[in-house]
Amino acid sequence: GMFDVVVEFIEESPMVLTIWNILTSRKIWQLEDKEKSYYSKCIVLRPLSAGSYSLRLDYGRGTKYVRFIVR
């Protein structure tokens, strides 16, 4: 239910981090930030029900996904 996300870009970029429940397509959490090259965020999602989730990072050059499971 708790983890750290660290993002480092070569150049400054706005970014949006979003966590989605994969099964229901429901947005669980979102963070937006502007024009930095380094981001560090402790995310606390307690109580988070068991299931599959996706962390989505949108930034100036594209989108990245990290999927994770809560048991």
Side-chain angles (χ1 to χ4, degrees):
M2 183 172 82
F3 55 93
D4 293 318
V5 174
V6 177
V7 178
E8 189 169 1
F9 298 121
I10 294 172
E11 51 192 44
E12 292 183 346
S13 177
M15 67 103 190
V16 178
L17 274 176
T18 312
I19 296 177
W20 299 87
N21 180 310
I22 292 175
L23 183 63
T24 64
S25 298
R26 193 181 96 185
K27 186 186 329 181
I28 305 295
W29 180 88
Q30 183 169 326
L31 169 73
E32 294 184 47
D33 214 333
K34 302 176 192 168
E35 302 299 327
K36 289 196 255 179
S37 59
Y38 182 83
Y39 299 91
S40 178
K41 178 69 178 169
C42 178
I43 300 173
V44 179
L45 298 172
R46 289 188 186 138
L48 192 62
S49 25
S52 297
Y53 296 86
S54 177
L55 183 139
R56 176 179 165 163
L57 169 65
D58 293 296
Y59 63 106
R61 293 191 168 190
T63 301
K64 299 289 183 188
Y65 295 91
V66 175
R67 293 190 176 155
F68 61 97
I69 297 173
V70 174
R71 296 178 190 230

